[in-house]
Amino acid sequence: MRLIFMGTPAFSVPALQALHTAGHEIAAVYSQPPRPAGRGQAVHPSPVHQAALDLGVEVRTPRRVRTDAAEHAAFAALRADAAVVVAY
């Protein structure tokens, strides 16, 4: 099945990995944009973003999907069978 995965926190990573391991095609992963964190306020990707990169899956980090026409079109162009949302 061709899927889009949407998630951000570490809680979502096992679900992404399970879908990948089960043999589903992950067309793209959507996650919240990288944010400053830690003492130096360095910008870091979310746990899901990093996990997707480790799996070799494209990551998209738009501020809005629903209200951004271009991003909405890009989402539709992925032609996924379903979107799986886990703590996006």
Side-chain angles (χ1 to χ4, degrees), residues 17-57:
Q17 291 170 332
L19 290 169
H20 185 266
T21 300
H24 295 287
E25 178 187 356
I26 310 296
V29 168
Y30 279 76
S31 190
Q32 293 295 315
R35 297 214 164 88
R39 189 171 192 173
Q41 292 296 294
V43 177
H44 296 283
S46 73
V48 167
H49 185 149
Q50 188 59 55
L53 293 176
D54 293 345
L55 294 172
V57 177

